[in-house]
Amino acid sequence: MTENINREITLLKPEDVFLIIDRVKQKFDFPIHFHPEYELNFILNGRGIRRVVGSSMEEIGDVELVLVGSNLEHGWETYNCKRNKIYEITIQFHENLFSEKLLSLKNFKPIKDLFARSKQGVLFDEKTAIHLMSKIKALSSKNGIDDFVKLLKLLEELANSKNQRILSTNIERNNQFEGSEKIKKVHDFLNENYARKISLHEISDLVNMSQSSFNRFIKKRTGKTFIEFTNDTRISYATKFLVETDLSIGEIGYKCGFNSIANFNRFFKKSKNITPSKFKSEFKSIQRFK
């Protein structure tokens, strides 16, 4: 996806711990881009701005806090925002600021896992964004040891915060499946068979559980029913095909296991709050934008 997207050369110097950009804006018009540095982006008073992170495209609310991982495509555009005083704080830090050895230590595991999730972009809920706003503002560009400690503590709070949401589609396993061989098995099976009908009986037998036990198990482990979990997998593939191929909406729907275009449209809109055709056209227009 990066072939038509600009790499940004950031202002972060090799000798700096991190870079802070604190500003009030009237519009967002910087092209979609990527860079090796991690980026934490806080926006206040930005309702109606459209955020693009990887394959995710959504309008934002009044408060936004997102962590973007290394070399992940991202950008914000004014879109439907009517505000003329939008407050933004952007924090960028080197991808190797924390060594692998440091991140392998037990106390750093939450931050290590957060960085892994950031490869797809992490959206923090509004409550977390508001709670951490003063700590984000308190970070100084002096880059002293105190500022490094503040950044570390901020990342720890973000890592342990509730109601985080992964933004971009990633078909590969992620930390959600750590420690559960059964979930891994279900995940791999769905990735191989999402294009066809899968019965509850078949998937229950796969992990040697009764249907009722399996239903309870997957709901507890993922927060979703088996049908919801299966459709999420199908929508993830559909999003990938909408972004990366020139297949028609109908072809993508059937390719992803939906038995009719109507069903595909319904599930996709429920998941993304936009129809597949509109998502495809708007995403393509953003890729050409500027």
Side-chain angles (χ1 to χ4, degrees):
M1 275 177 54
T2 59
E3 56 185 16
N4 296 318
I5 301 174
N6 299 320
R7 171 173 174 171
E8 179 191 2
I9 306 301
T10 70
L11 298 175
L12 181 63
K13 298 176 182 177
E15 65 269 22
D16 288 338
V17 176
F18 58 84
L19 171 73
I20 297 180
I21 304 169
D22 187 331
R23 56 198 169 186
V24 176
K25 305 172 70 169
Q26 290 188 331
K27 63 179 181 178
F28 284 73
D29 57 6
F30 196 77
I32 294 176
H33 59 283
F34 65 96
H35 44 72
E37 296 81 7
Y38 286 90
E39 180 172 303
L40 182 66
N41 208 47
F42 172 82
I43 298 174
L44 184 65
N45 199 34
R47 180 173 293 277
I49 289 170
R50 181 159 62 182
R51 173 201 345 101
V52 176
V53 174
S55 63
S56 170
M57 181 177 65
E58 300 174 341
E59 278 192 48
I60 75 171
D62 289 315
V63 183
E64 164 104 332
L65 183 60
V66 169
L67 179 64
V68 178
S70 179
N71 292 321
L72 176 62
E73 306 90 356
H74 62 281
W76 282 257
E77 63 165 339
T78 305
Y79 196 53
N80 287 327
C81 184
K82 308 300 182 186
R83 317 284 175 81
N84 57 13
K85 289 186 178 180
I86 307 162
Y87 183 41
E88 180 189 40
I89 300 177
T90 300
I91 301 168
Q92 295 175 340
F93 56 95
H94 298 290
E95 59 178 327
N96 59 355
L97 178 60
F98 302 94
S99 69
E100 283 299 320
K101 186 174 182 179
L102 183 68
L103 291 173
S104 67
L105 299 176
K106 181 179 178 181
N107 289 349
F108 283 81
K109 187 176 186 304
I111 294 177
K112 181 179 181 179
D113 291 345
L114 175 65
F115 287 166
R117 294 192 296 276
S118 76
K119 292 177 182 179
Q120 297 168 255
V122 180
L123 174 67
F124 303 94
D125 72 348
E126 189 171 302
K127 185 177 179 181
T128 298
I130 292 171
H131 172 68
L132 293 177
M133 180 168 57
S134 61
K135 294 183 180 181
I136 293 170
K137 288 182 177 181
L139 283 172
S140 165
S141 58
K142 293 178 181 178
N143 272 237
I145 292 177
D146 286 346
D147 296 309
F148 175 76
V149 172
K150 286 178 182 178
L151 175 63
L152 181 60
K153 288 184 176 179
L154 175 63
L155 290 171
E156 182 183 32
E157 286 202 58
L158 289 170
N160 293 317
S161 65
K162 297 180 179 179
N163 302 318
Q164 300 175 28
R165 180 158 66 87
I166 299 295
L167 290 174
S168 184
T169 299
N170 187 346
I171 310 303
E172 298 175 2
R173 291 179 187 166
N174 57 41
N175 293 335
Q176 169 186 10
F177 309 120
E178 213 171 85
S180 176
E181 289 302 320
K182 287 183 178 179
I183 288 292
K184 289 178 184 178
K185 199 169 185 178
V186 170
H187 175 266
D188 291 346
F189 182 82
L190 288 178
N191 276 279
E192 292 171 5
N193 297 280
Y194 66 89
R196 66 173 180 85
K197 185 176 180 179
I198 303 169
S199 69
L200 180 60
H201 173 75
E202 180 181 14
I203 200 74
S204 300
D205 280 354
L206 178 73
V207 289
N208 298 314
M209 298 176 75
S210 69
Q211 294 181 37
S212 57
S213 295
F214 176 76
N215 259 334
R216 289 193 298 271
F217 165 74
I218 199 164
K219 179 72 174 179
K220 182 178 180 180
R221 193 66 178 79
T222 70
K224 299 171 184 176
T225 65
F226 172 64
I227 292 174
E228 290 169 339
F229 192 59
T230 302
N231 283 331
D232 277 358
T233 302
R234 288 172 172 154
I235 292 299
S236 292
Y237 274 99
T239 304
K240 176 181 171 68
F241 295 141
L242 287 166
V243 169
E244 297 180 0
T245 74
D246 291 321
L247 294 172
S248 71
I249 302 301
E251 286 173 324
I252 291 172
Y254 285 110
K255 186 179 178 70
C256 293
F258 295 98
N259 57 13
S260 71
I261 295 179
N263 271 340
F264 177 41
N265 280 328
R266 181 164 58 88
F267 281 111
F268 193 93
K269 188 169 184 180
K270 182 179 180 182
S271 174
K272 302 288 186 181
N273 201 31
I274 189 173
T275 64
S277 57
K278 190 172 182 183
F279 178 91
K280 185 178 181 73
S281 64
E282 293 199 3
F283 201 95
K284 293 294 184 184
S285 71
I286 289 176
Q287 299 292 41
R288 294 191 298 268
F289 137 80
K290 306 166 200 66

